[in-house]
Amino acid sequence: MDGTWWQHHPRTSALSDFLYPPTGDAQIGKIRSVISTFTFSDPNMSASNIRAQPSVEPLGCVGDIGWYAIRFSLFAYNYKLPESVVGVITGRHPETGAITQFSGIMVYADNQSATFDCGFNAALNQRSEISAEKGTVRIPDTFMPFGGRKEDGLDSKTRFYYAMDGAGNGHREVWEEVVQDVEIGVQEYMIKDFHACIEGKLDWKVFAKQTQAIHAIMDAALQSANNGSVPVKL
C-alpha cells in the first residue's frame, strides 16, 4: 500500500473495466496517449515547508503530487512500463532549490505515450485525459474525487466522461458520462483495501508491484532532467 487514495476508489475500478473490459475489446479502442496533471498554487511557500526541503523530499513536487500523475499514466496502460522516460525541471524554490514544477514524457512502443505535469506554481488542476483510436476519456477530478458521504454535504456519485470519434456534428464532440455511486470518502476506500490486505482478501503484492513501477518512472524522470533531459531507457 502506498497511500494513493484514488487508486482504491470505485470510479477507478469502473474506469479500468471501461479501458480493459473483462470480455471483448475496449469501446474506445487502443490507447495512443495519456495526459495527466496535478498542480496547486503556493507562490509563497516557506523554506521550512517539507515540500521545499530537498534534504527531506529530494524529489520535490515529483515525489509529492507527481506521484499521482505518474500512477494514472501507468494505470491507463495497465501498468506496462514505457521504453524510455524524459524529464524536465521547469521550476525551483528560490531559496532552497527544491523542484517546484516538473514535466515528463513516458514513451512506449507502437506509437504510445504519456505526459505528466506537476507543481506548486499553478492553480489547482487534477485533470486527466486518455486519447485512443476511437474515442477519448476525460476526468476533471482524478485524484481527489468530488463525491463522498451525503451527510458530509457531498455528491454521492462520481463520474468520468467519454466521447466517441464521429459522434458529434462536424468538430463538435458529444460527451457521455459514466456514473458511479459512492458511500464514503476516497480516503476511507483506501483504508478498507488496507484492511482487506491484512485479512488476506486482497493481495498486497499487487499494490507493491505497482508502487515499484512508479518509483522506476520517477527515478528515470529525475535522471533525465539532471542530465540535460536526455531519454532514459527502462
Side-chain angles (χ1 to χ4, degrees), residues 99-141:
I99 301 170
T100 56
Q101 199 75 27
F102 193 94
S103 296
I105 302 174
M106 300 157 57
V107 181
Y108 287 85
D110 198 20
N111 300 316
Q112 294 177 304
S113 66
T115 302
F116 61 91
D117 294 287
C118 58
F120 310 134
N121 300 334
L124 177 63
N125 184 352
Q126 51 168 334
R127 294 175 175 83
S128 298
E129 182 170 292
I130 300 170
S131 298
E133 293 173 331
K134 301 176 184 178
T136 304
V137 172
R138 286 180 182 171
I139 309 175
D141 57 340

Side-chain angles (χ1 to χ4, degrees), residues 36 40 53 82 104 106 111 162 176 183 202 209:
S36 189
F40 67 85
Q53 297 183 42
M106 300 157 57
N111 300 316
Y162 72 93
E176 305 287 345
E183 301 174 348
L202 286 178
K209 186 176 181 180

Side-chain angles (χ1 to χ4, degrees), residues 195-226:
H195 187 257
C197 286
I198 294 174
E199 293 185 320
K201 295 178 180 178
L202 286 178
D203 186 358
W204 65 268
K205 296 183 185 69
V206 172
F207 298 110
K209 186 176 181 180
Q210 294 169 352
T211 300
Q212 290 172 338
I214 304 169
H215 277 292
I217 300 299
M218 288 198 303
D219 289 346
L222 266 296
Q223 181 181 341
S224 169
N226 289 325

Side-chain angles (χ1 to χ4, degrees), residues 34-35 41 56 73 80 91 109 113 126 130-131 168 173 178 181 189 196:
V34 178
I35 299 173
S41 181
V56 181
S73 298
K80 178 176 67 175
S113 66
Q126 51 168 334
I130 300 170
S131 298
E173 299 169 316
V178 180
D181 292 323
Y189 281 112

